[in-house]
Amino acid sequence: MTQPSTSTGRLVEEFHIAPTRLLMLDYDGVLSPLKNDTSPEASCPDDLLKQQLANLATQDETHIYIVSGRKKDDLDSWFNDTPSIGLSAEHGAWRKENGNWSATIQPFDKLKEQVVAALLPFVERVPGSHIEAKEFAVVWHFRAAQQPAVAEAAIPDIQRVLGDIVKGTDLAIHTSASTGKIIEVKHTAANKGAVVRSLVAAHNTPHFIMAAGDDYTDEDAF
């Protein structure tokens, strides 16, 4: 049996001895491997993962939250039968409390249409890429691009076009070219840092606090 590393062993030890605990976990890239297929069907959690999370959440004074960029409907379809796990969707734009979802920011419907229209030519230019329109964000995915070099070459053009649209607004452009392989337009107020601050405060600053993530969106949480 492989022994845990010193850092992992210390983490486990501190978890067990802490009187109160708060875990905030990203989904894609942390609880589930990143995949070219971004559909919810491709990344659905298996029964083992759900059971492990539920077991953690049932320990005394332990609170588990999945803080994801996924749509709320995706998270609901996966975890609606495990109410002990808290959910935050679209980087904090949606939060589920007491079984109900509530929005934390206002949508940008008019500009969203402009953003989608501006990205359409790049879907044709980069075969294998696609647009995902969420309620509070628009994402251009290029992880499955047939020619990665063509996708990377298109990034500066996309950033310039989108920059003209969001200039002077509360929207921001985020690019993840190495891990997530996306360009995302979302409201600056929708960030995981705000989620973490509210959860830490809501649980009276637990003795053990852990955030896990793998991309630019998680830097706000850290």
Side-chain angles (χ1 to χ4, degrees), residues 95-181:
R95 298 186 198 177
K96 189 175 185 180
E97 297 177 339
N98 300 319
N100 298 312
W101 286 98
S102 60
T104 64
I105 61 174
Q106 295 296 316
F108 60 101
D109 293 335
K110 292 183 179 180
L111 284 180
K112 187 190 299 183
E113 295 176 1
Q114 295 183 38
V115 171
V116 171
L119 288 172
L120 285 174
F122 293 98
V123 174
E124 297 181 2
R125 177 172 162 183
V126 183
S129 69
H130 70 277
I131 301 169
E132 180 185 14
K134 305 178 184 180
E135 293 187 64
F136 294 95
V138 177
V139 188
W140 182 65
H141 294 269
F142 60 95
R143 175 169 291 278
Q146 296 174 14
Q147 296 176 296
V150 174
E152 293 177 7
I155 291 175
D157 293 337
I158 295 177
Q159 292 172 325
R160 183 179 64 256
V161 170
L162 295 180
D164 291 338
I165 297 175
V166 305
K167 185 177 181 180
T169 72
D170 291 328
L171 303 177
I173 305 165
H174 302 275
T175 303
S176 175
S178 58
T179 52
K181 295 190 181 300

Side-chain angles (χ1 to χ4, degrees), residues 7-153:
S7 58
T8 302
R10 180 178 178 183
L11 188 68
V12 172
E13 180 182 359
E14 290 183 354
F15 173 88
H16 283 296
I17 65 177
T20 57
R21 315 175 187 97
L22 173 63
L23 279 69
M24 297 163 286
L25 312 173
D26 185 20
Y27 187 78
D28 294 283
V30 175
L31 296 177
S32 176
L34 289 172
K35 298 178 181 178
N36 291 343
D37 184 350
T38 60
S39 68
E41 294 78 16
S43 296
C44 183
D46 58 28
D47 292 338
L48 176 60
L49 172 61
K50 293 173 67 174
Q51 187 59 55
Q52 289 173 330
L53 291 172
N55 288 344
L56 278 174
T58 56
Q59 296 194 35
D60 290 341
E61 297 298 332
T62 301
H63 305 280
I64 311 291
Y65 289 85
I66 295 176
V67 184
S68 172
R70 286 274 181 175
K71 299 176 182 178
K72 66 181 180 66
D73 291 344
D74 294 351
L75 296 180
D76 244 353
S77 67
W78 295 340
F79 298 104
N80 62 354
D81 57 347
T82 50
S84 58
I85 300 172
L87 302 175
S88 175
E90 294 196 37
H91 311 301
W94 284 106
R95 298 186 198 177
K96 189 175 185 180
E97 297 177 339
N98 300 319
N100 298 312
W101 286 98
S102 60
T104 64
I105 61 174
Q106 295 296 316
F108 60 101
D109 293 335
K110 292 183 179 180
L111 284 180
K112 187 190 299 183
E113 295 176 1
Q114 295 183 38
V115 171
V116 171
L119 288 172
L120 285 174
F122 293 98
V123 174
E124 297 181 2
R125 177 172 162 183
V126 183
S129 69
H130 70 277
I131 301 169
E132 180 185 14
K134 305 178 184 180
E135 293 187 64
F136 294 95
V138 177
V139 188
W140 182 65
H141 294 269
F142 60 95
R143 175 169 291 278
Q146 296 174 14
Q147 296 176 296
V150 174
E152 293 177 7

Side-chain angles (χ1 to χ4, degrees), residues 166-203:
V166 305
K167 185 177 181 180
T169 72
D170 291 328
L171 303 177
I173 305 165
H174 302 275
T175 303
S176 175
S178 58
T179 52
K181 295 190 181 300
I182 63 169
I183 294 180
E184 182 171 25
V185 176
K186 66 182 182 70
H187 199 289
T188 55
N191 72 82
K192 294 182 179 181
V195 179
V196 167
R197 283 192 295 271
S198 67
L199 291 176
V200 169
H203 294 288

